Amino acid sequence: MTPDTSISIKTPEELQVLRKAGNILASIVNEVKCSLKSGVTTREVDQKAEELIRKHKVLPAFKGYRGFPACVCLSVNEEVVHGIPGDRILKEGDIVSLDVGIVYKRYYSDTAVTIGIGKIDPILQKLMDVTSESLYEGINKARVNNHLSDISHAIQEYVEQNHFSVVREFVGHGIGKRLHEDPEIPNFGSPHQGPVLKAGMVFAIEPMVNMGRSPTRILGDGWTVVTQDGKPSAHFEHTIAIGNNGPEIFTK
Ligand code: MG
């Protein structure tokens, strides 16, 4: 079990930088979302994101991270996370996870949304809605004196009540001076386990939800995570802080 002490507590000054980073990231993502249209390649979306990241005078967090070649992850349909932008052309009816990270004044912020291209099958819309709602269920448990796994449990319970499954091989994370800090934040688990949450902890919470079964595999490119059963998957993520008056979403 991760000891409480390995989770960094941010100072008010650090929280102010992280708040601003989240704000910038949210506006970048809002603009990039507009370029997710039928007929564009995922590479073109990445180029647009890079332009916007430079325009806002922040740095892309993912480009070069362990050799990742792009500024954003774009994961289409059966792709869960970590899709590499390339020649894939978005088409009507696709669902696309757009995951973006930036660095602002040496602090990281990380967020993801899943967007439907044009007219979407109602069951895919349901998958996206449940995934987004499960993120808020988790965030709602990110409160002082709760345990870490209360977040995990709330996400799993909400997803399974809606007859979808949570991905287990990939998890949320602490964030701050590094993109991935302690603790790991699974999207499943029993409640009341793990570290006790304290004000000043900053987390990237990110449910990945599959329409079919939970297991995933990684493609030969070494990055792209897909569902083993080939069924669609959705992904939402916010960077949040635990405050004395409840959770604060930085990337809204
Ligand atoms: Mg993340």
Side-chain angles (χ1 to χ4, degrees), residues 45 52 76 81 146 164 178 216 228 238:
V45 177
L52 289 165
V76 185
V81 285
N146 275 358
F164 297 131
R178 287 177 295 122
T216 62
Q228 280 189 16
H238 274 308

Side-chain angles (χ1 to χ4, degrees), residues 10 108-110 173-179 181 202-204 239:
K10 273 71 179 178
Y108 285 80
S109 196
D110 190 2
H173 48 95
I175 185 167
K177 277 185 185 154
R178 287 177 295 122
L179 178 59
E181 298 185 351
V202 177
F203 294 159
T239 295

Side-chain angles (χ1 to χ4, degrees), residues 102-124:
I102 60 161
V103 193
Y104 167 73
K105 295 188 174 173
R106 299 193 178 186
Y107 284 82
Y108 285 80
S109 196
D110 190 2
T111 193
V113 287
T114 300
I115 303 282
I117 306 296
K119 201 166 186 301
I120 294 299
D121 192 303
I123 187 67
L124 290 174

Side-chain angles (χ1 to χ4, degrees), residues 99 110 173 180 204 206 237:
D99 190 351
D110 190 2
H173 48 95
H180 295 122
E206 49 178 321
E237 177 177 24

Side-chain angles (χ1 to χ4, degrees), residues 159-174:
V159 168
E160 292 181 354
Q161 273 169 4
N162 284 282
H163 313 291
F164 297 131
S165 58
V166 291
V167 169
R168 289 164 185 260
E169 296 91 339
F170 300 88
V171 297
H173 48 95

Side-chain angles (χ1 to χ4, degrees), residues 52-237:
L52 289 165
I53 288 169
R54 306 289 174 198
K55 190 180 99 180
H56 284 270
K57 302 196 185 329
V58 293
L59 297 170
F62 298 169
K63 198 165 199 172
Y65 181 84
R66 296 186 181 170
F68 191 79
C71 289
V72 300
C73 300
L74 288 164
S75 309
V76 185
N77 297 340
E78 79 289 352
E79 297 173 352
V80 179
V81 285
H82 304 166
I84 301 175
D87 296 327
R88 188 163 182 168
I89 298 170
L90 300 179
K91 58 178 201 308
E92 174 107 3
D94 284 345
I95 61 168
V96 189
S97 151
L98 164 70
D99 190 351
V100 193
I102 60 161
V103 193
Y104 167 73
K105 295 188 174 173
R106 299 193 178 186
Y107 284 82
Y108 285 80
S109 196
D110 190 2
T111 193
V113 287
T114 300
I115 303 282
I117 306 296
K119 201 166 186 301
I120 294 299
D121 192 303
I123 187 67
L124 290 174
Q125 188 61 53
K126 174 97 190 289
L127 176 69
M128 293 192 289
D129 291 346
V130 166
T131 309
S132 171
E133 287 154 11
S134 77
L135 170 58
Y136 287 94
E137 293 289 319
I139 291 171
N140 190 41
K141 298 291 181 185
R143 293 176 185 276
V144 173
N145 292 332
N146 275 358
H147 288 262
L148 182 67
S149 80
D150 293 331
I151 298 172
S152 310
H153 180 73
I155 292 169
Q156 179 182 20
E157 188 173 61
Y158 189 79
V159 168
E160 292 181 354
Q161 273 169 4
N162 284 282
H163 313 291
F164 297 131
S165 58
V166 291
V167 169
R168 289 164 185 260
E169 296 91 339
F170 300 88
V171 297
H173 48 95
I175 185 167
K177 277 185 185 154
R178 287 177 295 122
L179 178 59
H180 295 122
E181 298 185 351
D182 282 337
E184 290 193 345
I185 308 170
N187 296 304
F188 61 94
S190 330
H192 317 310
Q193 308 292 313
V196 174
L197 304 181
K198 298 191 174 79
M201 291 179 175
V202 177
F203 294 159
I205 303 175
E206 49 178 321
M208 291 147 259
V209 175
N210 294 351
M211 181 166 290
R213 287 168 42 75
S214 165
T216 62
R217 64 188 175 90
I218 300 176
L219 295 185
D221 62 19
W223 281 104
T224 312
V225 177
V226 297
T227 56
Q228 280 189 16
D229 64 10
K231 292 185 180 170
S233 183
H235 174 217
F236 283 82
E237 177 177 24

